[in-house]
Amino acid sequence: MTMEVVAVVVTNNRPIELKLVVESLRVQTFPVRKILVIDNASQLPATEVLLGFDYVDVIRSEINTGGAGGFALALQSALLQPCDWVCMMDDDAVPRPDALAQLVTAAVALPKQAGALCSSVYEFGALATTHRRSYDKWLGWESPLPVQAYANQSVPIDTGSFVGFMVRAQAAQDVGLPNAEFFLAYDDTEYSLRLQKNGWSIYLVPASGIDHLRTEASKLSTSAFGAKHFYNIRNRIYVARRYSRLGVLAAVVKG
């Protein structure tokens, strides 16, 4: 296969996890052209964490621009490289050895309007279906894809998290970058819907797997109200108003 893939990782103060992610990218059965790490003002700079790693470029921001700002910079930087696809992930998303190979194999078989391909996500040793979703275009509700869908080779979806989200370079050039103003949360949903609005489709590729090393404390449902909750609510309202047919009503429901 002659496809060129650039992998991007956004990191903030997770040196142990970051090293695991980058090591896993370096040993993929389908080799990446380049690994770009966006260091969002980590206390221990990523350049020190990844000292001696080949094929890795670190771009450091001296201020924390959040996941949304990090992915916007990551995709912008990746598109300066000669590439066909850009695979996006957080610093706690560890791709399994054949994760990229499975995505690339699927890309060959899928229509050229496939703008993004997503891996299956595993958390706490089990399939985490909340990362790949359907979107109700009337009221803006998202619902996880059912487990049965993961038995297929590829499945059309409406939205996917940036935990193993491989976007076609041509599609990214068409629709632009993730919205950096979101800072945290829901930037991946907005980006997914923007791709679809511009005629690109998104697919889940179940055979491609990513282990998401999240903790119980990181869940919105189990943590005290804070910045993540604020941005999640604010950004969900924005997306509902912009992408659902009953925009104002959907925004009220989301709020």
Side-chain angles (χ1 to χ4, degrees):
M1 298 179 188
T2 59
M3 288 188 186
E4 297 278 9
V5 177
V6 172
V8 299
V9 184
V10 176
T11 188
N12 173 253
N13 292 328
R14 285 189 182 133
I16 296 174
E17 294 89 339
L18 173 63
K19 200 167 184 179
L20 286 172
V21 173
V22 173
E23 284 177 343
S24 70
L25 286 169
R26 293 175 75 212
V27 298
Q28 287 291 302
T29 57
F30 182 90
V32 297
R33 174 182 176 84
K34 176 73 70 175
I35 302 169
L36 296 180
V37 175
I38 305 302
D39 181 359
N40 251 340
S42 297
Q43 292 178 349
L44 177 62
T47 49
E48 296 183 27
V49 176
L50 302 174
L51 194 64
F53 279 55
D54 297 329
Y55 308 108
V56 180
D57 288 347
V58 177
I59 301 172
R60 180 173 171 84
S61 171
E62 294 303 326
I63 60 171
N64 183 359
T65 60
F71 279 118
L73 177 58
L75 189 53
Q76 181 183 49
S77 303
L79 292 175
L80 297 176
Q81 305 275 337
C83 65
D84 302 293
W85 295 84
V86 180
C87 193
M88 305 162 68
M89 62 199 70
D90 290 311
D91 57 2
D92 59 351
V94 182
R96 296 180 177 181
D98 66 343
L100 285 180
Q102 295 289 353
L103 292 176
V104 169
T105 299
V108 173
L110 287 168
K112 290 185 178 180
Q113 284 307 111
L117 308 179
C118 299
S119 304
S120 299
V121 180
Y122 297 86
E123 296 174 348
F124 310 108
L127 184 66
T129 59
T130 55
H131 288 267
R132 314 301 176 212
R133 304 174 292 268
S134 300
Y135 186 80
D136 182 331
K137 291 181 173 60
W138 285 98
L139 284 173
W141 289 111
E142 287 186 285
S143 55
L145 219 62
V147 173
Q148 304 92 292
Y150 286 76
N152 299 295
Q153 287 189 331
S154 60
V155 188
I157 62 174
D158 292 325
T159 64
S161 73
F162 284 161
V163 180
F165 186 101
M166 191 171 82
V167 62
R168 191 185 291 271
Q170 183 183 351
Q173 290 163 351
D174 180 29
V175 308
L177 305 175
N179 190 334
E181 294 183 2
F182 274 41
F183 190 73
L184 289 175
Y186 237 58
D187 50 314
D188 39 24
T189 292
E190 191 279 330
Y191 198 68
S192 298
L193 295 173
R194 198 186 333 152
L195 282 167
Q196 288 195 315
K197 188 175 181 179
N198 284 271
W200 298 97
S201 51
I202 306 173
Y203 290 85
L204 163 67
V205 181
S208 175
I210 286 213
D211 292 299
H212 194 204
L213 308 181
R214 72 183 305 185
T215 63
E216 288 288 348
S218 68
K219 292 182 177 181
L220 288 174
S221 59
T222 57
S223 56
F225 188 90
K228 283 186 178 180
H229 297 78
F230 167 78
Y231 286 111
N232 185 61
I233 294 170
R234 186 198 69 170
N235 297 344
R236 285 166 68 97
I237 292 172
Y238 173 91
V239 170
R241 287 182 64 109
R242 185 174 181 86
Y243 291 100
S244 63
R245 290 169 184 159
L246 298 176
V248 175
L249 176 59
V252 171
V253 172
K254 289 291 184 184

